[in-house]
Amino acid sequence: MMPVAAPPLTLARLATAFAAGALAVLLFHQVAVLVIARAGIAPLRAFVFDPVAPFGIPQVMSLAFFGGLWAVVFMMIWTRFGSAIRLPFWAAAAIFGAVAPTLVAWFLVAPLKGQPIAAGFNPSRMWIGPVLNGLFGLGFGLMIPLGAKLWGDQRSGTPSPTALGD
């Protein structure tokens, strides 16, 4: 695949990324949480509406908001370095999702919440974060180009028109 420069960032592209990230939390991340919980693989709860500090908004809404922010961060990185990444957009998004949010959750968020870092380095629990977050990344990696097409911005988010087929 020949690298093609990503289009410049615009407010519309960032808004598309944010919306795709928020929706990816609901449609990919939380559905995967539900499947893992229902299969008895791990004791997880999906679509939790319990209030979260400090603002008391429902947990699933907080996750969706931060999912939108993560997708915006990815778009900013992709716009700057995407032409050097020799992966399809969706694959790069999935890898980003599996790595970046997971590392932040393990080493920043967990200690702030008084939880052990990196799921206590327990392999039977550590795999969950990268898998769920990788699915989230895959979700927004697929939805950003679709959103761009819906809004008439054919180049938004993908390095080439054939990126989804790569």
Side-chain angles (χ1 to χ4, degrees), residues 106-145:
W106 281 353
F107 296 106
L108 201 66
V109 176
L112 289 173
K113 290 183 172 184
Q115 299 169 351
I117 62 171
F121 293 100
N122 180 343
S124 67
R125 291 186 12 225
M126 287 181 76
W127 67 270
I128 295 170
V131 168
L132 293 176
N133 292 332
L135 289 170
F136 152 70
L138 174 64
F140 77 72
L142 294 172
M143 285 193 280
I144 288 173

Side-chain angles (χ1 to χ4, degrees), residues 6-156:
L9 280 178
T10 64
L11 185 57
R13 289 186 179 112
L14 292 176
T16 299
F18 184 86
L23 284 172
V25 167
L26 302 174
L27 299 175
F28 286 78
H29 182 275
Q30 289 296 287
V31 169
V33 168
L34 185 63
V35 168
I36 288 172
R38 294 291 167 114
I41 297 170
L44 303 175
R45 292 175 49 211
F47 301 102
V48 177
F49 283 86
D50 296 344
V52 188
F55 302 114
I57 65 169
Q59 180 180 353
V60 70
M61 300 304 287
S62 176
L63 289 171
F65 174 77
F66 283 103
L69 291 182
W70 278 113
V72 166
V73 168
F74 177 78
M75 278 299 295
M76 293 168 67
I77 293 169
W78 183 265
T79 300
R80 177 71 174 98
F81 302 106
S83 62
I85 300 171
R86 301 210 180 265
L87 289 171
F89 182 79
W90 60 269
I95 293 168
F96 173 84
V99 175
T102 301
L103 291 177
V104 168
W106 281 353
F107 296 106
L108 201 66
V109 176
L112 289 173
K113 290 183 172 184
Q115 299 169 351
I117 62 171
F121 293 100
N122 180 343
S124 67
R125 291 186 12 225
M126 287 181 76
W127 67 270
I128 295 170
V131 168
L132 293 176
N133 292 332
L135 289 170
F136 152 70
L138 174 64
F140 77 72
L142 294 172
M143 285 193 280
I144 288 173
L146 294 176
K149 288 178 185 175
L150 285 173
W151 304 122
D153 185 359
Q154 298 298 319
R155 289 177 30 120
S156 176

